[in-house]
Amino acid sequence: MAILAFLVACGDGEKAGSVSTTGAKGREAAASRKAEISLGEMGIQGPIDSDDWPTERFTEQANAQLRRLKAYLKGNADWPANLVSNEVDSTVLRPFTLQTVLEDEHFLIQRGIDGDGATLRGLATPYQSGSRQATFKIFDVRQESGRILTKIAVSLSGPTERGPQQESSTWEVAWSLDPEPRMLSIELQDYEVSLTKRAQSGNAFQDATEAVFEDVAAYRDQLAYGVDHWATRIEAAFGIGVSGWEGLALGDANGDGLDDLYVCQPGGLPNRLFIRKPDGTVFDASSFAGVDWRLQTQSALFVDLDNDGDQDLVVGTTLGLILMANDGRGTFTVKASPLLPEGAAMSLSSADFDLDGDLDLYVTSYSRRRSMNGGTTLLGRPMPYHDANNGSRNVLFRNDREWKFTNATVETGLDVSNRRFSFAASWEDYDNDGDVDLYVANDYGRNNLYRNDRDEEGRHQFVDVAAQAGVEDISAGMSVSWGDYDADGWMDLYVSNMWSSAGNRVAYQRQFQTGAQAETLAAMQRHARGNSLFRNLGDGTFEDVSLSQGVSLGRWAWGSRFVDLNSDGWEDLVVANGFITQPEDSGDL
């Protein structure tokens, strides 16, 4: 009886966190519970038994064959017998003729055109033995004329003589059915290879963690250990959790012109402020600065709230927002009674929405606080799953100076469609009219794009125009980033969701949601597609270019950022992914 983890509900960690276990066993139980909840919300009662879903039963068998192929490519096993039929028909799987799409000091990125190249057995070349990595994800399954057709996302990576290399491609594979799956044909549908060039200065990126934290006791004694270690050592009442909601904040805490790092932590562990030194290393100033809170903390933000020229600090804990003033030298003092949104602050963002010269705060929440003693609980299951509006409310706190803040959510129009299990929000003047607008990424269903307008009396009013702008993006929204990727003067939008191979397979089967309307079914299928890139057309609308630009497959994508990595003047994309990732199964990365 195989349970299919139909994990299209990105960010269900609070449900998983309700399981009263810790460590690896707790995560396993949480994952099982999560699968059942997600399936139930999708209209399927209980876990999927692969015996009732022939395509999933086949996928299990095909995955077993692909694991044997993976072991061969990694150099851990011989060529797998019975993997391919005697008369397998295969196109080339690594094109000989490649078109260069980017080449600079550090990177070479090429895409396949045509010509002869490697076949299945030759894919391990040119990677060095013992260091190759390979992943295969079946994301589409359908029956046709006595055979099974699948689409497989393939990734190969490892060191080569030229430098670290990664290949990404999509195969369409036809399989026989008896007695076990064998490959009948393989067709390469797309192909891209990226090479990180070796230079005298070394690779473009290097892991500098240990060098930066070499003299920091907090790193050696606490941060170097995983969450499993602390979940088995800290009393659950302190708010210790294994879901990994905690964020980071960057800002110049002590006014020396260097960015410092604030690390949010689960309950029972102190938040940390690391001050950067001119040599690139850091020292722990958490206690001295007065910011080593031990409350469960989801988010933090460095921002000048009192217009005195230094970076103040807002910390989003389960009990509410703690607002602290900076004395300009990196010492912080609590300046206001805690602001109390309905739920824990999953993210914080700041902008001067009313153009009055001070910065206001927008807080996204997910589910209501259980009590003032901490902890959170779901307001029931998201209903309906693909278009939920029963989460806790996000809040706009207007800055009224002298550390006084007013809840302006309702009066500014931001309480419309405002209970959607939100994870992130970002301000940007997308319509170039001189004031900032707001995009909100929601875990269940539609996202919001609140356009900043003026009423007849000149007051700022927000209108949710996501539908007419084409950016509702019905999926598991988890982060938002604005950037002008095509350099046309209009800010484009990138949203992190989750690409789910299981979701893509199951949601397109005939037996899935047989009674659902076409619009509802399409929304559920869209939920598993992955990240979204929306090109700003300059007329108030956006074009979804996610698939044509090849930026949808970000795996379980929590965060994303437009950034010019190679200083060529063009915005690149960085995506952070993974959820409760274990060494033995890193398929979400």
Side-chain angles (χ1 to χ4, degrees), residues 356-373:
D356 66 350
D358 51 41
L359 293 172
D360 311 292
L361 284 173
Y362 188 77
V363 184
T364 63
S365 295
Y366 195 85
S367 57
R368 240 178 222 159
R369 189 180 297 105
R370 180 184 296 119
S371 70
M372 287 307 296
N373 292 323

Side-chain angles (χ1 to χ4, degrees), residues 104-433:
D104 60 18
E105 178 184 359
H106 295 295
F107 302 103
L108 173 64
I109 299 176
Q110 298 176 305
R111 292 181 181 148
I113 304 175
D114 53 24
D116 296 328
T119 56
L120 198 58
R121 284 179 178 264
L123 285 176
T125 307
Y127 297 102
Q128 298 172 9
S129 61
S131 301
R132 310 174 192 126
Q133 298 294 325
T135 61
F136 301 92
K137 288 278 189 178
I138 299 176
F139 65 93
D140 182 65
V141 181
R142 59 193 185 277
Q143 275 188 281
E144 181 182 287
S145 304
R147 60 180 186 165
I148 296 283
L149 293 179
T150 63
K151 289 186 178 180
I152 306 175
V154 181
S155 177
L156 302 171
S157 61
T160 71
E161 291 183 356
R162 300 191 301 166
Q165 178 174 292
Q166 177 175 310
E167 298 173 85
S168 301
S169 57
T170 301
W171 299 353
E172 181 165 271
V173 179
W175 304 78
S176 63
L177 298 177
D178 188 44
E180 61 182 339
R182 292 192 186 188
M183 294 181 176
L184 295 172
S185 65
I186 310 172
E187 179 183 346
L188 182 67
Q189 295 198 323
D190 59 68
Y191 177 88
E192 181 177 284
V193 58
S194 60
L195 175 74
T196 302
K197 293 181 179 179
R198 286 200 176 102
Q200 292 183 353
S201 58
N203 293 332
F205 296 96
Q206 295 179 338
D207 185 351
T209 310
E210 291 190 3
V212 169
F213 290 89
E214 61 181 356
D215 295 323
V216 179
Y219 174 75
R220 297 192 307 270
D221 299 339
Q222 189 250 304
L223 293 175
Y225 294 91
V227 70
D228 280 342
H229 176 88
W230 296 111
T232 57
R233 288 164 170 78
I234 294 179
E235 168 59 48
F238 286 108
I240 184 72
V242 299
S243 299
W245 300 122
E246 296 76 33
L248 308 169
L250 285 173
D252 184 4
N254 60 350
D256 64 354
L258 301 174
D259 277 341
D260 308 305
L261 174 66
Y262 190 72
V263 180
C264 304
Q265 299 239 57
L269 295 171
N271 294 346
R272 303 285 188 181
L273 174 62
F274 297 108
I275 300 295
R276 183 180 167 193
K277 295 187 288 187
D279 64 0
T281 63
V282 298
F283 66 91
D284 186 355
S286 313
S287 178
F288 173 81
V291 296
D292 53 342
W293 303 94
R294 290 179 181 265
L295 298 169
Q296 180 180 343
T297 304
Q298 283 79 22
S299 56
L301 181 68
F302 283 106
V303 57
D304 185 5
L305 292 175
D306 53 8
N307 283 349
D308 65 352
D310 54 36
Q311 298 285 291
D312 306 305
L313 182 63
V314 184
V315 179
T317 75
T318 355
L319 300 186
L321 302 187
I322 301 173
L323 278 63
M324 290 174 283
N326 190 343
D327 67 357
R329 295 170 295 177
T331 301
F332 294 84
T333 305
V334 176
K335 293 293 292 186
S337 299
L339 302 180
L340 301 175
E342 281 186 347
M346 302 309 290
S347 72
L348 303 168
S349 56
S350 182
D352 183 9
F353 83 91
D354 52 3
L355 303 178
D356 66 350
D358 51 41
L359 293 172
D360 311 292
L361 284 173
Y362 188 77
V363 184
T364 63
S365 295
Y366 195 85
S367 57
R368 240 178 222 159
R369 189 180 297 105
R370 180 184 296 119
S371 70
M372 287 307 296
N373 292 323
T376 56
T377 183
L378 280 175
L379 302 173
R381 296 180 179 180
M383 296 295 293
Y385 170 84
H386 64 287
D387 193 16
N389 198 29
N390 64 320
S392 63
R393 286 174 286 195
N394 303 332
V395 183
L396 173 66
F397 289 111
R398 186 183 64 230
N399 190 341
D400 291 332
R401 306 286 177 96
E402 298 183 358
W403 294 96
K404 295 179 181 178
F405 292 82
T406 300
N407 186 336
T409 314
V410 174
E411 67 181 76
T412 58
L414 284 175
D415 202 39
V416 175
S417 302
N418 185 35
R419 292 159 182 81
R420 289 187 169 173
F421 298 87
S422 303
F423 267 133
S426 184
W427 299 90
E428 182 56 64
D429 183 10
Y430 82 92
D431 51 3
N432 288 347
D433 67 349

Side-chain angles (χ1 to χ4, degrees), residues 426-536:
S426 184
W427 299 90
E428 182 56 64
D429 183 10
Y430 82 92
D431 51 3
N432 288 347
D433 67 349
D435 53 35
V436 288
D437 312 293
L438 181 66
Y439 191 86
V440 182
N442 302 309
D443 195 12
Y444 296 99
R446 306 168 198 269
N447 293 341
N448 310 103
L449 174 59
Y450 294 106
R451 187 182 64 207
N452 192 343
D453 294 338
R454 299 282 188 102
D455 62 16
E456 294 180 353
E457 298 179 7
R459 295 172 300 191
H460 289 265
Q461 293 288 305
F462 290 92
V463 180
D464 189 354
V465 297
Q468 66 191 66
V471 292
E472 282 189 311
D473 198 38
I474 298 178
S475 195
M478 292 187 289
S479 79
V480 186
S481 185
W482 294 93
D484 185 9
Y485 85 90
D486 53 359
D488 65 351
W490 297 90
M491 295 300 283
D492 309 301
L493 176 67
Y494 190 67
V495 184
S496 294
N497 300 305
M498 190 186 79
W499 182 87
S500 167
S501 55
N504 277 291
R505 292 195 309 268
V506 171
Y508 287 90
Q509 300 303 314
R510 290 183 178 179
Q511 68 195 96
F512 177 75
Q513 285 285 303
T514 53
Q517 296 181 351
E519 181 180 358
T520 300
L521 183 59
M524 292 182 174
Q525 292 168 343
R526 169 65 188 84
H527 213 84
R529 192 194 74 177
N531 297 349
S532 299
L533 174 61
F534 296 100
R535 178 174 173 262
N536 193 335

